[in-house]
């Protein structure tokens, strides 16, 4: 549909809707994909972020790299993997018959995994739920750790305060690194190539 708005000749509203859908289900994939194209790991490795990544850009980039590595691994094992990380369904990748939650780390010292309340409830409700932990996500050779049955992990319920327009609390569930490492089934190094 094209609109004539006086001095502005025509606006293609389908283009605007594609990038600026309103509401909680807005598709952020194009924005993060464009961000990922512009960031090169060799240049980012020089970035020394402060202890607070207020905009969440570096965290989002790390998670995106983890999901891309997961999709690569799943496709190499002849499974048709689908990225659902933008749909907030309680997992990031569907690779039938598995539902995979991806946790990615750049090179953090503390690698405790945290699940949101939605992720934790989905894990306990679904049968074929796995957690993939990607270490060194920014490198060309990320390390993949697969936890086949995360229901056996000892998660601890935590509550975190955060401020937006007012103070709110959020539940999450945390499993400490020494505990999840004892449940790893597969540990492999991937060759990561960007398109």
């Amino acid at each position: 549909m094209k609109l004539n708005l006086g001095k502005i000749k025509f606006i293609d509203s389908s283009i605007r809707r594609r990038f600026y859908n309103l509401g909680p289900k807005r598709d952020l994939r194009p924005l993060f994909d464009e961000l990922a194209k512009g960031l090169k790991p060799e240049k980012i490795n020089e970035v020394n972020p402060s202890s607070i990544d207020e905009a969440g850009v570096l965290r989002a980039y790390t998670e995106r790299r983890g999901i891309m590595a997961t999709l690569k691994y799943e496709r190499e094992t002849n499974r048709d993997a689908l990225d659902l990380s933008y749909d907030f369904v309680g997992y990031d990748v569907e690779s039938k018959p598995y539902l995979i939650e991806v946790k990615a780390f750049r090179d953090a010292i503390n690698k405790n995994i945290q699940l949101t309340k939605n992720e934790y409830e989905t894990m306990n409700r679904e049968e074929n739920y796995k957690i993939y932990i990607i270490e060194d996500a920014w490198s060309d050779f990320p390390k993949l750790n697969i936890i086949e049955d995360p229901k056996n992990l000892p998660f601890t319920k935590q509550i975190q305060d955060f401020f937006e327009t007012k103070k709110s609390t959020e539940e999450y569930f945390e499993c400490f690194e020494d505990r999840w490492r004892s449940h790893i089934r597969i540990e492999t190094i991937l060759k990561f190539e960007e398109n």
Side-chain angles (χ1 to χ4, degrees), residues 41-113:
E42 62 273 5
K43 295 199 172 153
I44 292 178
N45 285 333
E46 298 169 7
V47 173
N48 199 0
S50 68
S51 60
I52 300 173
D53 180 18
E54 290 179 16
V57 172
L58 298 176
R59 188 174 126 222
Y61 179 75
T62 303
E63 290 174 4
R64 190 84 229 135
R65 297 267 307 179
I67 290 168
M68 292 166 72
T70 297
L71 292 170
K72 176 180 174 36
Y73 174 79
E74 288 298 301
R75 290 174 181 155
E76 284 177 356
T77 56
N78 296 319
R79 286 194 283 271
D80 189 23
L82 182 62
D83 179 1
L84 298 175
S85 59
Y86 298 100
D87 294 341
F88 307 106
V89 292
Y91 51 91
D92 295 314
V93 174
E94 181 177 2
S95 184
K96 293 196 177 175
Y98 304 110
L99 307 176
I100 303 166
E101 176 59 30
V102 178
K103 298 298 175 186
F105 298 97
R106 175 184 174 191
D107 57 5
I109 295 169
N110 182 3
K111 296 179 184 170
N112 298 339
I113 56 174

Side-chain angles (χ1 to χ4, degrees), residues 110-166:
N110 182 3
K111 296 179 184 170
N112 298 339
I113 56 174
Q114 296 177 348
L115 299 180
T116 64
K117 183 177 181 182
N118 183 34
E119 292 165 349
Y120 185 76
E121 289 172 352
T122 303
M123 174 189 71
N124 286 311
R125 182 178 59 245
E126 299 293 338
E127 288 301 313
N128 293 321
Y129 196 93
K130 293 182 179 186
I131 296 178
Y132 283 21
I133 301 168
I134 311 294
E135 295 180 88
D136 302 320
W138 288 18
S139 85
D140 289 335
F141 299 95
K143 180 179 174 186
L144 168 65
N145 304 289
I146 298 176
I147 299 175
E148 295 266 331
D149 191 8
K151 291 177 189 177
N152 292 329
L153 290 175
F155 282 94
T156 305
K157 181 178 176 179
Q158 306 285 342
I159 296 179
Q160 176 181 16
D161 290 331
F162 65 96
F163 294 91
E164 285 182 356
T165 55
K166 62 179 183 174

